Amino acid sequence: MRVGVVSIGLCGVAVAAIVAGHRGAAADGNDDVFRRDVAPFLARWCFECHSGETVENDLDLSKLGAGGDPDVLREIRTKLRRREMPPKEAPQPPAADVARIVAWIDSLPDDAGASDPGRVTIRRLSRTEYRNTVRDLCGVDFDAEARLPPDDVGLGFDNIGDVLTLPPVLFEKYLAAAEFVASRAIVAEDPARPPVRRFDRDSLQSSRGARRDKTGVAMFSPGEAFGEMTFPRDGEYLLRVRAFAQQAGPEPARIALRVPGASDQVVDVTAVAKSPEIYEVRARVAAGRRRVAAAFINDYYKPDDPDPTQRDRNLFVQWIEVAGPVDVRPVGEFQRELLGDDSKRPRDRAFAIEVARRIANRAYRRPATADEASRLADLVAEAQKSGASFERGVEAALTAALVSPSFLFRVETDPSPGDPNAAHDLTEFELATRLSYFLWSSMPDRELSSLAAKGALHDPDVLAAQTRRMLRDARASALVTNFAVQWLELRRLDDVAPDPARFPEFDDALRASMRQETEMFVEAVVREGRPLRDFLDADFTFVDARLAKHYGLAGVKGDRFERVPLPRGRRGGLVTQASILTLTSNPTRTSPVKRGKFILEEILAEPPPPPPPGVGALDESAAATKAASLKERLARHRSDPNCASCHTRMDALGFALENFDPVGAWRERDESGPVDAVGTLPDGRAIDGPAQLRAVLTADDAFARCLAEKLLVYALGRAPTRDDRRALDRLVKSLPGLDATFEDVVLGIVRMDGFRRRRGEGK
């Protein structure tokens, strides 16, 4: 943006046009201030580039009235406060005039009237939410990362409604997951009649040293007969083998019954061909698909023995059988709640409907309809008709509930779905679900559901009290492991690969320590009610011995993480932690551009636009790196007018972190000599090193708004609307700057219309 000298006559015409077009747009004297101070200021210093037929950055200030566009006003305020506009090469307005305009913007009344609450696309549970939900619903620890594919990401998070689709192949995985979860949540086995799996001649396989014959598998040298099966759960199983032997030598033939993870069970096979026998052992086997083998372990061959019957010992396996589990698995709390303690109660239709309703009420996170309960009860009846137990029928009903759209999706209904103007409150149960998945990444607990059933959650005091309670619950750790890990892009840390030749100290153990430091640090700031300022400039962190050595901190031993004070100057806050510094570096060198971009996007919520077409990448050739330092090459890159507007601020923020090498260790020198950690902001201010960078980042409330916006996107599962952004402005204005706490921001979000309400489709 260039600023030229606008003539007095042109300035007067421009001011008159603005005022005439927007007369009466605001009350309480704002019109007068706008007419007297703001409009002339804009016309004098901004209109040459931001009015007329061609405007820079699509920002036409000639259409801005006293009522203002919150997005435009916010941008003006930010640019003026930071003295980024007008650009430093242009004439500058007096500081008093700038302060007057900023103060006017800050003084504008909140537009807290009726607003568009937006609408959220029906959302499938993310992989993380699915795992947490079945844990809290059934008490089953489900390894979702191993059994379900990663979710797509939108707006930086994997819980965004528009990307959480359910293709057929994924539904098949959810069906398998439901069967797995239900089989572990419900004890349906009868130890007196355990299921049996047999491998006979047609299904047995053999290893070298064994071959199939007309009766089964014959082993004339050491070998195995085996089959593979899925063990449904950890437990006790009976392993049986029907076998006989051709005996020879001083001892009987021996067979080892083997399952990976369990000890070999060795038996003597004394039976002979005319009377095979069944041999049985008991073994504890872990759940999963496993190989079950009968191994011949004591082959004997003496061809010159004078007794022909003593020359060769061989083993013959006719079948292998697995029965079980045969141990009595204790009934869990979930099943006890479903079925009660009265074992004598008739397992009839009435009881099946009662149990089905209990399943659906919890799984669907709302009261089930009579039809929903009846359909689940039908599955119980079908199981009983086929000879299975009532409990087996309950297992089938639970499986069906876990693949229902009412479980897999977070469903919110609209009384007038086609009317975009029909805004309405969420139902109590929908609000409870939004709150629990926001704070816990899981389903509502009984207290929250009970309040929803009483119609109490829309009471602001009740909603605030529940929010505080839930933030203090252990399940709120999801705000670290799910929200913060995605906000700070920590998942990408698994994929970074610093050059091992240059950074031999970096390995997977150090990578894990880096991530754990950041997670523990965020949790401490959240749990302890510390000010938001600590996210940017704290005097403590968490390290184990490995990370302490990496940081040059003494006195920490072992793998246990300790809370340690930080010397002032070098480190403090998120952007100086090794996790962030490593994932914003290149494999062989630091990247001021990546580090600056991270700060703009994740700390200040001011993402730079994509690079314009045709802009080349930084020259990384050997000749270029030898001829000029990284700073000199980036300066040449910024000399392109197409690059300067973004890179000037971005690079300055990144260069302030140059004392940290590509894996986050402190350094005084780099390949070019002494580290140059000075960056120059668009207003001409210099930032020298991380301490001054932290001072810049804590100088205003930009981080508070950034965190609030990230949390709102995460909470709603969609992009903010214009009215959401206005609500965010009001929230940030109500906070005590960076002295506010994480809880303050969360409470502000759950009070917003966008969180408590929704509208029909059409806008």
Side-chain angles (χ1 to χ4, degrees), residues 689-702:
Q692 291 186 15
L693 172 63
R694 294 196 296 274
V696 168
L697 297 179
T698 56
D700 59 31
D701 58 13

Side-chain angles (χ1 to χ4, degrees), residues 498-507 510 546 663:
D499 184 351
R502 298 191 183 201
F503 309 105
E505 71 276 18
F506 184 87
D507 57 17
L510 184 57
R546 184 71 185 281
V663 293

Side-chain angles (χ1 to χ4, degrees), residues 273-576:
K274 63 180 179 180
S275 54
E277 293 183 8
I278 297 172
Y279 299 90
E280 179 181 285
V281 298
R282 191 181 185 102
R284 183 160 191 84
V285 182
R289 188 158 186 81
R290 303 187 182 282
R291 173 169 158 156
V292 183
F296 182 29
I297 61 172
N298 67 334
D299 184 33
Y300 177 86
Y301 183 58
K302 190 175 181 182
D304 56 352
D305 193 294
D307 183 352
T309 64
Q310 293 296 312
R311 292 175 182 172
D312 193 8
R313 181 189 301 147
N314 301 304
L315 183 68
F316 301 86
V317 172
Q318 295 184 324
W319 49 254
I320 299 174
E321 198 172 76
V322 179
V326 294
D327 56 329
V328 178
R329 182 160 53 110
V331 172
E333 181 181 353
F334 175 68
Q335 184 170 344
R336 286 196 298 272
E337 290 177 351
L338 289 182
L339 304 183
D341 295 326
D342 185 1
S343 60
K344 296 181 179 179
R345 179 169 178 176
R347 269 35 181 175
D348 55 14
R349 174 74 179 179
F351 188 37
I353 289 178
E354 184 179 325
V355 172
R357 183 177 291 110
R358 291 171 185 168
I359 291 173
N361 285 349
R362 292 287 288 153
Y364 301 164
R365 303 174 286 275
R366 57 163 173 78
T369 66
D371 185 56
E372 288 170 331
S374 179
R375 289 200 302 268
L376 293 179
D378 288 344
L379 297 175
V380 180
E382 289 177 13
Q384 289 179 298
K385 287 179 183 177
S386 67
S389 65
F390 184 85
E391 287 77 10
R392 187 69 71 188
V394 172
E395 180 183 330
L398 177 59
T399 301
L402 294 179
V403 291
S404 165
S406 294
F407 174 78
L408 291 176
F409 289 86
R410 293 166 56 184
V411 179
E412 296 174 352
T413 57
D414 294 309
S416 302
D419 184 356
N421 297 312
H424 62 94
D425 288 346
L426 297 174
T427 70
E428 290 280 327
F429 289 98
E430 289 167 355
L431 181 57
T433 295
R434 274 203 186 184
L435 186 62
S436 66
Y437 280 95
F438 174 28
L439 303 182
W440 291 346
S441 295
S442 187
M443 63 185 291
D445 65 355
R446 295 191 181 281
E447 180 172 337
L448 196 60
S449 296
S450 175
L451 288 168
K454 295 174 183 176
L457 274 185
H458 276 286
D459 181 319
D461 293 336
V462 173
L463 185 61
Q466 284 299 300
T467 300
R468 293 189 181 96
R469 174 186 73 86
M470 294 171 71
L471 283 172
R472 286 157 178 72
D473 190 279
R475 284 166 286 191
S477 61
L479 284 168
V480 176
T481 58
N482 203 17
F483 166 72
V485 163
Q486 294 186 82
W487 159 42
L488 298 172
E489 303 180 24
L490 293 181
R491 291 178 179 175
R492 290 200 298 112
L493 192 61
D494 293 338
D495 300 322
V496 299
D499 184 351
R502 298 191 183 201
F503 309 105
E505 71 276 18
F506 184 87
D507 57 17
D508 287 342
L510 184 57
R511 187 199 313 267
S513 294
M514 290 176 176
R515 175 164 171 165
Q516 187 165 346
E517 175 200 16
T518 302
E519 291 185 9
M520 293 181 71
F521 173 77
V522 171
E523 182 150 19
V525 175
V526 172
R527 294 279 189 190
E528 297 170 16
R530 303 184 69 86
L532 300 182
R533 187 183 314 277
D534 277 8
F535 280 119
L536 306 178
D537 190 14
D539 60 2
F540 71 95
T541 192
F542 296 85
V543 293
D544 59 2
R546 184 71 185 281
L547 193 58
K549 180 181 179 182
H550 191 65
Y551 282 178
L553 300 173
V556 179
K557 298 180 180 180
D559 296 333
R560 188 169 180 270
F561 270 73
E562 298 180 19
R563 184 176 186 142
V564 297
L566 289 173
R568 302 304 295 170
R570 293 184 179 182
R571 297 187 192 271
L574 291 167
V575 298
T576 62

